Amino acid sequence: MTAAPSGAATQPAFVHETLPYRGDEEFLAGVVGFVRDGLARDETVVIVEPTPRLAQLREALRGDAGDLQFLDMTDVGANPGRIIAAWSAALDRTTRAGRVLRGVGEPAHPARSATELVECELHEHLLNTAFDGGPAWRLLCPYDVEGLAPSVTARALTTHPFRAGPDGRPLPTGKHTARTPAELLCEALPPPSAEGVLRGEFGAGDVPAVRRTVAQYARSCGLSDDRAAGLELAASELATNSVRHGGGAGTLAMWTEPGAAVVEFSDAGRLIDPLVGRRPPATEEYGGRGVYLVHQLCDLVQVRCTTQGTTVRISTWL
């Protein structure tokens, strides 16, 4: 991959770059310059930022003309597992129109919990898997070095092949680590921090019972009817996936974390595609359509796969 993002004629690949910043002034200087450069090249620019940053950029770019779109990260990317689907859709629309896409996205912002930030890091790795080798475009990911833990901003250099240079050109980070899909998904999830975890097993004929059990648990946690119904449907999809693709059976665990109702499914299946559920699947693969729906229904989805099988942990905020 080379770094010559000067439009459709010379940009050879997906350029994924990070922008560390301190305070509003550095944020606006880096992002506004990046956006205006894209508009000057007649590129389509899509900005996906948390609500406060989005308001700042709307004001700063109020007088700028061109194909400029704003999306709220706290909506589009509330669950980090939904973000690749949003970029895939934007890239598809832009490419079909014969244009070049330039994006700004800040998935790892200070309002995220520690658990969410782990999934943001996985998301940043998977962006490279999703878009390397496809149409040429640039994605700038700002990182708030004052609002985020130093470990988070340091690891951003490992997930991004490039960093924003002082003249607007991307420079190699020199720290990017290209990890295989197996490496990305094999890290074990932390055990439940709460006591009183409810556990059970299920087989081919138990999916309706699993659905009823999760629905009852969701209501006992105080979820609204709509959110309880979403968690129930997600559980039904995952139990069905375990039966169809995980050896005909699986295990279920349910517990509460501070501010969240958590449900976890494990089975003996092996995940082939690390992007499963992160973009609308074209074919039926391991839980492809079901896991995509689960990502839309839940506030956080964590997928891990080892030689022992696959685990999917879903959380809905209380």
Side-chain angles (χ1 to χ4, degrees):
M1 186 185 297
T2 58
S6 56
T10 58
Q11 184 178 321
F14 173 50
V15 178
H16 185 202
E17 57 195 283
T18 182
L19 171 69
Y21 69 88
R22 294 179 181 275
D24 294 350
E25 185 175 343
E26 285 190 11
F27 171 79
L28 289 172
V31 175
V32 170
F34 178 83
V35 169
R36 285 179 173 159
D37 181 62
L39 294 176
R41 298 171 189 272
D42 196 30
E43 296 175 348
T44 294
V45 181
V46 178
I47 297 174
V48 190
E49 281 283 336
T51 306
R53 292 298 186 199
L54 204 63
Q56 290 177 316
L57 290 170
R58 284 184 183 275
E59 178 63 26
L61 295 165
R62 178 180 295 180
D64 290 78
D67 189 357
L68 179 59
Q69 303 167 31
F70 296 90
L71 298 174
D72 195 328
M73 180 63 78
T74 55
D75 179 23
V76 173
N79 166 15
R82 300 177 194 159
I83 303 172
I84 286 177
W87 285 124
S88 295
L91 182 60
D92 182 64
R93 289 193 303 269
T94 305
T95 302
R96 287 175 181 271
R99 298 177 61 82
V100 173
L101 175 65
R102 179 177 295 222
V104 176
E106 190 168 357
H109 52 82
R112 297 279 199 190
S113 67
T115 302
E116 289 176 287
L117 288 172
V118 170
E119 295 309 302
C120 287
E121 182 181 351
L122 176 59
H123 157 75
E124 295 277 37
H125 273 295
L126 289 174
L127 276 166
N128 303 314
T129 302
F131 297 110
D132 278 352
W137 67 292
R138 288 179 71 180
L139 175 60
L140 181 72
C141 301
Y143 274 73
D144 185 345
V145 298
E146 293 180 333
L148 295 168
S151 59
V152 174
T153 54
R155 287 196 296 271
L157 298 176
T158 71
T159 58
H160 293 75
F162 297 96
R163 60 181 175 85
D167 62 352
R169 290 180 174 272
L171 302 173
T173 61
K175 297 184 178 182
H176 171 243
T177 55
R179 302 177 66 189
T180 67
E183 291 172 332
L184 291 172
L185 297 174
C186 73
E187 296 179 0
L189 293 169
S193 63
E195 297 180 356
V197 179
L198 303 176
R199 301 184 185 275
E201 300 179 353
F202 59 91
D206 299 326
V207 173
V210 169
R211 182 167 182 159
R212 290 193 298 270
T213 299
V214 172
Q216 182 178 3
Y217 183 73
R219 289 193 294 270
S220 75
C221 292
L223 291 176
S224 68
D225 289 344
D226 286 347
R227 293 176 69 73
L231 190 58
E232 175 188 357
L233 179 55
S236 179
E237 292 290 339
L238 292 176
T240 300
N241 282 345
S242 291
V243 169
R244 290 180 178 175
H245 308 288
T251 63
L252 168 69
M254 302 181 295
W255 69 93
T256 58
E257 298 280 355
V262 185
V263 181
E264 181 177 280
F265 288 83
S266 298
D267 59 50
R270 295 298 306 280
L271 187 65
I272 298 173
D273 180 7
L275 294 169
V276 66
R278 292 177 181 265
R279 53 188 178 191
T283 59
E284 278 290 350
E285 297 173 354
Y286 180 91
R289 299 183 188 279
V291 179
Y292 177 76
L293 177 60
V294 169
H295 272 291
Q296 310 313 306
L297 292 168
C298 299
D299 293 314
L300 189 67
V301 179
Q302 299 166 273
V303 180
R304 300 293 188 272
C305 183
T306 68
T307 55
Q308 286 72 46
T310 297
T311 295
V312 182
R313 181 179 293 180
I314 55 178
S315 300
T316 297
W317 309 145
L318 298 174

